[in-house]
Amino acid sequence: MNVQNLKIALQRSGRLSEGSIDLLRNCDIRFDDGVGKLRSSAQNFPIEIFSLRDDDIPRYVEDGVADVGIVGENILAEHGCTVDMIEKLGFGKCRLSIAIPKNDDYTSVADLNGKKIATSYPGVLGRFLKQQNAAAEIHTISGSVEIAPGIGLADAVCDLVSSGSTLFTNGLREAETVMNSEAVLIARKNLDSDLTQLVDKLLFRIRAVNAAQRNRYILLNAPNEKLKKITELLPGIKSPTVMPLAEDGWSSVHSVINESDFWEVVERLKNAGAEGILVLSIDQMINGGCIS
Ligand code: PRT
Ligand code: ZN
């Protein structure tokens, strides 16, 4: 009988912590995330949660302290560990960018020649500069990178950006995107078959949760003579469900559509004669009691 637990490493306290915990909870994995607890076990899934500093996660997964982990692609790229990146998770999105004082002229990477760039990502930045044939000097610092130009420590910075407000308040502007990043699920190479099965089970749930978040459930009424055109506009997971309404000549249409093309489809449905269009997230469908 398999009693092996899957050990997962999450960021203990930081920008990825909430997203990682929410993801496991949305997968219906119940555990106690008591503050400061290094280790907790789930009550309803064979998984053990380790809370660690994000920088340590790739190495711990590589070394087998944990089997899988959730970490930013930026950390993976910098630390260069040999682990498998198995799924992009859609949260913790940011970019690693080179930023310069806002009044400096900038037309291309050639303008970085001879400049000193402060960063906590010397590995990724070094590869980028080499690939772009830019001869800039890298000055590695571990925190508060954005203040370096203001205090005369560097001419530019290479740091993570999400809203851009940190750069703005420090009088900097983005000049180059070095890489885009988001939280990813990583796994140790060559896991045994029991652990691989557990990873597959977890991955199945993660994919289902993320798909549900991207999709919308749509209900509408359609006059029967326009039904063919309206149903053709609905690229549902399967064909849309069509049911006759009590009112003669009308049908009710239900379908699932992807968020990215959502408003365009709604507009086209309206133009094609759909009425009473109602849109629900999959969460609302379940929690609102629409599914019986
Ligand atoms: O203690 P530990 O080592 O675990 O945490 P940490 O302080 O090293 O990392 P943390 O919690 O700051 O970030 C964890 C991960 O979140 C990063 O590795 C990225 O993958 C991701 N992430 C997403 C970000 C950001 N967005 C982000 N904006 N990490 C850092 N920032 C910082 C950035 O360095 C800059 O100081 O936020 C500032 C810029 O934000 P904006 O919104 O002003 O542009
Ligand atoms: Zn860190």
Side-chain angles (χ1 to χ4, degrees):
M1 185 69 200
N2 166 33
V3 286
Q4 211 173 177
N5 275 335
L6 183 70
K7 290 176 281 179
I8 186 168
L10 308 182
Q11 190 188 20
R12 183 179 201 137
S13 152
R15 284 186 167 81
L16 300 186
S17 307
E18 195 182 329
S20 306
I21 289 171
D22 284 352
L23 180 64
L24 294 189
R25 294 246 155 89
N26 288 335
C27 289
D28 279 330
I29 296 174
R30 285 199 296 275
F31 59 97
D32 165 25
D33 64 336
V35 181
K37 231 174 150 189
L38 174 64
R39 200 170 170 161
S40 46
S41 296
Q43 291 123 34
N44 59 349
F45 194 93
I47 196 167
E48 222 177 321
I49 296 128
F50 287 74
S51 304
L52 304 168
R53 283 202 57 204
D54 67 345
D55 315 70
D56 297 333
I57 291 175
R59 174 57 51 83
Y60 279 148
V61 170
E62 187 178 38
D63 291 350
V65 177
D67 307 307
V68 292
I70 295 179
V71 72
E73 287 174 284
N74 50 301
I75 298 281
L76 269 190
E78 185 61 28
H79 292 253
C81 287
T82 47
V83 292
D84 289 329
M85 206 270 271
I86 51 177
E87 187 78 355
K88 294 201 180 212
L89 299 173
F91 64 91
K93 286 191 176 171
C94 57
R95 53 202 183 272
L96 184 67
S97 290
I98 297 174
I100 55 168
K102 70 173 190 295
N103 295 325
D104 280 13
D105 289 334
Y106 190 87
T107 41
S108 73
V109 273
D111 293 329
L112 298 172
N113 284 333
K115 296 268 164 71
K116 195 186 214 185
I117 308 176
T119 190
S120 312
Y121 290 85
V124 181
L125 176 60
R127 289 197 294 277
F128 175 82
L129 293 173
K130 196 167 170 202
Q131 192 190 24
Q132 302 284 328
N133 282 321
E137 185 191 332
I138 298 175
H139 184 74
T140 307
I141 51 178
S142 60
S144 302
V145 171
E146 66 282 355
I147 64 167
I151 58 171
L153 197 65
D155 306 301
V157 301
C158 175
D159 198 10
L160 297 174
V161 183
S162 44
S163 68
S165 69
T166 303
L167 293 183
F168 183 80
T169 28
N170 286 281
L172 301 169
R173 68 179 170 97
E174 277 179 272
E176 295 287 339
T177 303
V178 174
M179 74 174 285
N180 288 303
S181 177
E182 65 184 87
V184 290
L185 182 71
I186 56 171
R188 193 169 73 248
K189 288 193 170 293
N190 307 318
L191 289 175
D192 69 29
S193 68
D194 286 347
L195 288 173
T196 303
Q197 265 183 28
L198 287 178
V199 173
D200 287 346
K201 225 168 144 176
L202 177 66
L203 196 54
F204 178 84
R205 291 193 191 190
I206 288 175
R207 286 182 175 156
V209 163
N210 283 343
Q213 275 162 2
R214 280 195 306 273
N215 290 330
R216 291 285 180 274
Y217 196 87
I218 183 162
L219 304 102
L220 58 87
N221 296 332
N224 286 348
E225 72 274 13
K226 296 183 177 157
L227 200 53
K228 186 166 180 294
K229 180 145 190 237
I230 286 173
T231 52
E232 278 168 7
L233 288 170
L234 285 167
I237 285 173
K238 287 248 167 66
S239 335
T241 309
V242 180
M243 288 171 286
L245 282 178
E247 191 178 335
D248 235 12
W250 283 80
S251 296
S252 160
V253 179
H254 297 206
S255 187
V256 173
I257 45 182
N258 193 282
E259 199 178 4
S260 59
D261 39 41
F262 181 69
W263 292 111
E264 270 171 52
V265 177
V266 168
E267 207 47 46
R268 275 185 247 135
L269 289 167
K270 262 170 36 191
N271 294 337
E275 289 185 17
I277 300 176
L278 191 63
V279 175
L280 295 168
S281 68
I282 304 293
D283 263 6
Q284 284 170 314
M285 287 291 297
I286 297 164
N287 297 329
C290 289
I291 293 173
S292 55

